[in-house]
Amino acid sequence: MSFKVYKESTECMARTGELITAHGSIKTPVFMPVGTRATVKTMTSEEVEALGTEIILGNTYHLFLRPGHELIKEAGGLHKFMNWSGPILTDSGGFQVFSLADMRKITEEGVEFRSHIDGSKEFLSPQKSMEIQMALGSDIMMCFDECAPYPSSREYIEKSVTLTNKWARICRETVPLDYKNQVFGIVQGGFYKDLREKSAEEITEIGFDGYAIGGLSVGEPLPLMIEALEYTSPLLPGDKPRYLMGIGTPDYIFEAVQRGIDMFDCVLPTRVARNGTAMTSFGRLVVRNAKYKKDFIPLDPECDCEVCKNYSRAYIRHLFNVDEILGPRLLTIHNLHFMLRLVEKIREAIEVESFLDFKREFYKKAGIEI
Amino acid sequence: MSFKVYKESTECMARTGELITAHGSIKTPVFMPVGTRATVKTMTSEEVEALGTEIILGNTYHLFLRPGHELIKEAGGLHKFMNWSGPILTDSGGFQVFSLADMRKITEEGVEFRSHIDGSKEFLSPQKSMEIQMALGSDIMMCFDECAPYPSSREYIEKSVTLTNKWARICRETVPLDYKNQVFGIVQGGFYKDLREKSAEEITEIGFDGYAIGGLSVGEPLPLMIEALEYTSPLLPGDKPRYLMGIGTPDYIFEAVQRGIDMFDCVLPTRVARNGTAMTSFGRLVVRNAKYKKDFIPLDPECDCEVCKNYSRAYIRHLFNVDEILGPRLLTIHNLHFMLRLVEKIREAIEVESFLDFKREFYKKAGIEI
């Protein structure tokens, strides 16, 4: 048993648990910072660990192209290459190759595509994706799937679900059944309830160590996402971790946890950091703004991160203003701390049966209305 | 007495000592990392401190333009603004404004120039420079001087020395005589021995807390620099710290220390770091090179820095290859550690009368020939 549920809320589907991997165990719900190209942007692995990060995500597509999974294997795996000793989840590369639009061709066997770097012709298939993820030494490997865009026709989604389910079977068969090699299946089906049911049925029948909901947060309005989440999440087995891919912002995280999601990842906290935006308990703060020029208080006076302890808004604004690398760095540290602490507080709230209260308070203070 | 000499070599002018400032004392010889725009590029102040840095340098010209010395004063001074609690030496801004070439006009009163950022018309004078440095809260302020380029005619240098000496008097008079406000005079005179003598005589007559040698390492060949250093250094009072501005590379540091220099600063370790070059005990290593692609050993196997403990050449090369900020960061940490450790070892060698032996060994291993 690699997953244990500790506490289930009586008010909603929120729950706490623990996921055990070959590189340590993770408390859930968990937020996974994204380390696209063998680094969480701007950060050393030691810093990522010091922030209390329990698991990071690596991108198969990017690492396959540069430096190449074979080089990483030769280095002793991704953990050793980037000096990260905790768990790593890798995506399948599917999302990125499908995003290449005109530069890719889908067949039953896989996806032929051109590298976004040098235009070279490459090929990814369910089998190849799993082989790459194994070469990286991933603790949790994701099935190679098609993440359909929004909006997509029912006909398109129907064909896509059939392909994804076929590929899921190949993925499962490619990886040896071994606790060191966890594989997560992905349920697709767009915003069609019966297609989600069909996908969930087939994917859970194959049997995986965890289940992800794919194809949400792809541009649809939030209420539509919540609706899809509400009918999809209960389709996934309760004794396995549920992962909502590419989520997100604090509000998306609250809504997902409420509906039984245990894991999520998003580049948002690190990406907006590099653009000069801090995530705070009272909403986003664009530190580049002129109004912070002489604002000598911390980004978030309630935050206990190293950045808020040591530096002012005025200083960080100055760094962005003169294009110093330290600017993006400080906001990255702050934003990751903010997200990790938020999820920690969510876990605490679930434990004491106050999740919905905590959510209400948080939304009120941050000015979030749903 | 703000300066004490501890040990003088019997083989050469090398010496160890201690310089006391309002923000703590510094062991000399000392290397000062450059924090141009209120940050040592890519580094937090806590990291700079953790490396064992004793004093940093701030640039008056850059801070005057952005964010402005008044804003920094309002923030509580440069120390508080950038969260650096150790000593800070500030340059006068002279070097930068004189480098503006066509964009500046020199008069007896000062230098009118156009900002390199927005072309706005600005003015720096000896008095203004000291006022800015006081607003920044600098521990060691440098006189506003003219640093003449190489080569310059004897006539030009003669006039320049006269102007620099006149300005030195104004600088000294502008700053209250107070241990919290140390002011260093600068001896100029190009590569003309008698002009160096004239400058040294007038500058030491005014009386400063320390003396810098300006106008060296401005493009001249190394033997010429050493010659000028040899006749200029003894002209400076032995009971005050001697500072060689804009130095540098390990070989320049050895040559300077041998001739009685106590302090030096240079952007080189941090600048070459950002271009992908590591400083090592066996010379420079350009980590971007293809030959390091699968080189899984540390930058310098003899180095005990955090980067060499945790990361390989192949990993750092990958980071540069994909333009990750962590690449320049890791090399900055390594190079600063290298320089600070080198100067520490130089101090230890002086203490046990083995400076010249240590220099010979270092040169041999690093492939330096002079």
Side-chain angles (χ1 to χ4, degrees), chain A residues 3 5 13 15-17 27-31 238 240-244 256-257 260-264:
Chain A
F3 184 63
V5 174
M13 280 182 76
R15 59 189 197 166
T16 61
K27 294 188 208 87
T28 61
V30 67
F31 174 75
K240 299 285 177 189
R242 300 191 190 103
Y243 167 26
L244 185 50
V257 168
I261 298 298
D262 307 298
M263 303 167 71
F264 18 81

Coordinates of all heavy atoms in Angstrom, one line a residue, chain A residues 3 5 13 15-17 27-31 238 240-244 256-257 260-264:
Chain A
F3 N -0.4 4.3 -0.5 CA -1.2 5.5 -0.1 C -2.1 5.2 1.0 O -2.8 4.2 1.1 CB -2.0 5.9 -1.3 CG -2.8 7.2 -1.1 CD1 -2.1 8.4 -0.9 CD2 -4.2 7.2 -1.1 CE1 -2.8 9.6 -0.6 CE2 -4.9 8.4 -0.9 CZ -4.2 9.6 -0.7
V5 N -5.0 7.1 3.6 CA -5.9 8.2 3.9 C -5.9 8.4 5.4 O -6.2 7.4 6.1 CB -7.3 8.1 3.3 CG1 -8.2 9.2 3.7 CG2 -7.3 8.0 1.8
M13 N -15.5 16.4 0.2 CA -14.6 15.3 -0.1 C -13.1 15.5 0.3 O -12.2 14.7 0.0 CB -14.6 15.1 -1.6 CG -15.8 14.3 -2.1 SD -15.7 13.9 -3.9 CE -14.5 12.7 -4.0
R15 N -9.6 15.6 2.1 CA -9.0 14.6 2.9 C -7.5 14.8 3.1 O -6.9 15.4 2.2 CB -9.3 13.2 2.3 CG -8.7 13.1 0.9 CD -9.2 11.8 0.3 NE -8.5 11.4 -0.9 CZ -8.5 10.2 -1.5 NH1 -9.3 9.3 -1.0 NH2 -7.8 9.9 -2.5
T16 N -6.9 14.2 4.1 CA -5.4 14.2 4.2 C -5.0 12.8 4.1 O -5.7 11.9 4.4 CB -5.0 14.8 5.6 OG1 -5.5 14.0 6.6 CG2 -5.4 16.2 5.8
G17 N -3.7 12.7 3.7 CA -3.2 11.3 3.5 C -1.7 11.4 3.4 O -1.0 12.4 3.7
K27 N 3.1 14.2 2.4 CA 1.8 14.5 3.1 C 0.9 15.1 2.0 O 1.3 16.0 1.3 CB 1.9 15.5 4.2 CG 2.7 14.9 5.4 CD 2.6 15.9 6.6 CE 3.8 15.8 7.4 NZ 5.0 16.7 7.0
T28 N -0.3 14.6 1.9 CA -1.3 15.2 1.0 C -2.4 15.8 1.7 O -2.7 15.4 2.9 CB -1.9 14.1 0.1 OG1 -2.6 13.1 0.9 CG2 -0.8 13.4 -0.8
P29 N -3.1 16.8 1.1 CA -2.9 17.4 -0.2 C -1.5 18.0 -0.3 O -1.0 18.6 0.7 CB -4.0 18.5 -0.3 CG -5.0 18.2 0.7 CD -4.3 17.4 1.8
V30 N -0.9 17.9 -1.5 CA 0.4 18.4 -1.7 C 0.5 19.3 -2.9 O -0.2 19.0 -4.0 CB 1.4 17.2 -1.8 CG1 1.2 16.4 -3.1 CG2 2.9 17.7 -1.8
F31 N 1.3 20.4 -2.8 CA 1.6 21.2 -4.0 C 3.0 20.9 -4.5 O 3.9 20.9 -3.7 CB 1.5 22.7 -3.7 CG 1.9 23.6 -4.8 CD1 1.1 23.8 -5.9 CD2 3.2 24.2 -4.8 CE1 1.5 24.6 -7.0 CE2 3.6 25.0 -5.9 CZ 2.7 25.1 -7.0
G238 N -11.2 5.8 -4.1 CA -10.8 6.6 -2.9 C -9.5 6.1 -2.2 O -9.0 6.9 -1.5
K240 N -6.7 5.5 -3.7 CA -5.6 5.9 -4.4 C -5.5 7.4 -4.5 O -6.5 8.1 -4.4 CB -5.7 5.4 -5.9 CG -5.7 3.9 -6.0 CD -4.4 3.2 -5.7 CE -4.5 1.7 -5.8 NZ -3.3 1.0 -5.3
P241 N -4.3 8.0 -4.6 CA -4.2 9.5 -4.7 C -4.8 10.0 -6.0 O -4.7 9.4 -7.0 CB -2.7 9.7 -4.7 CG -2.0 8.4 -5.0 CD -3.0 7.4 -4.6
R242 N -5.5 11.2 -5.8 CA -6.1 11.8 -7.0 C -5.3 13.1 -7.3 O -5.0 13.9 -6.4 CB -7.5 12.3 -6.7 CG -8.5 11.1 -6.3 CD -9.9 11.6 -6.3 NE -10.8 10.6 -5.7 CZ -11.3 10.7 -4.5 NH1 -11.0 11.7 -3.7 NH2 -12.1 9.8 -4.0
Y243 N -4.9 13.3 -8.5 CA -4.0 14.3 -8.9 C -4.7 15.2 -10.0 O -5.1 14.7 -11.0 CB -2.7 13.7 -9.4 CG -1.7 14.5 -10.2 CD1 -1.6 15.9 -10.0 CD2 -0.8 13.9 -11.1 CE1 -0.7 16.7 -10.7 CE2 0.1 14.7 -11.7 CZ 0.2 16.0 -11.6 OH 1.1 16.8 -12.3
L244 N -4.8 16.5 -9.7 CA -5.4 17.4 -10.7 C -4.2 18.2 -11.4 O -3.5 19.0 -10.7 CB -6.4 18.4 -10.1 CG -7.1 19.3 -11.0 CD1 -7.8 18.6 -12.1 CD2 -8.2 20.1 -10.2
A256 N -10.4 22.3 -5.6 CA -10.0 21.0 -6.0 C -9.9 20.1 -4.7 O -10.4 19.0 -4.7 CB -8.6 21.0 -6.6
V257 N -9.3 20.7 -3.6 CA -9.2 19.9 -2.4 C -10.6 19.5 -1.9 O -10.9 18.4 -1.4 CB -8.4 20.7 -1.3 CG1 -8.6 20.1 0.1 CG2 -7.0 20.8 -1.7
G260 N -11.9 16.4 -3.2 CA -11.2 15.2 -3.0 C -9.8 15.0 -3.7 O -9.3 13.9 -3.8
I261 N -9.3 16.2 -4.2 CA -8.0 16.1 -4.9 C -6.9 16.1 -3.9 O -6.9 16.9 -2.9 CB -7.9 17.3 -5.9 CG1 -8.9 17.2 -7.0 CG2 -6.4 17.3 -6.5 CD1 -8.9 15.9 -7.9
D262 N -5.8 15.3 -4.1 CA -4.7 15.2 -3.2 C -3.4 15.8 -3.7 O -2.5 16.1 -2.9 CB -4.4 13.7 -2.9 CG -5.7 12.9 -2.5 OD1 -6.2 13.2 -1.5 OD2 -6.1 12.0 -3.3
M263 N -3.3 16.0 -5.0 CA -2.0 16.5 -5.5 C -2.3 17.5 -6.6 O -3.3 17.3 -7.4 CB -1.3 15.3 -6.1 CG -1.0 14.2 -5.2 SD -0.4 12.6 -6.0 CE 1.2 13.1 -6.5
F264 N -1.4 18.5 -6.7 CA -1.5 19.4 -7.8 C -0.2 20.0 -8.1 O 0.7 20.0 -7.2 CB -2.6 20.5 -7.6 CG -3.0 20.7 -6.2 CD1 -2.2 21.4 -5.3 CD2 -4.1 20.1 -5.7 CE1 -2.5 21.5 -4.0 CE2 -4.5 20.2 -4.3 CZ -3.7 20.9 -3.5

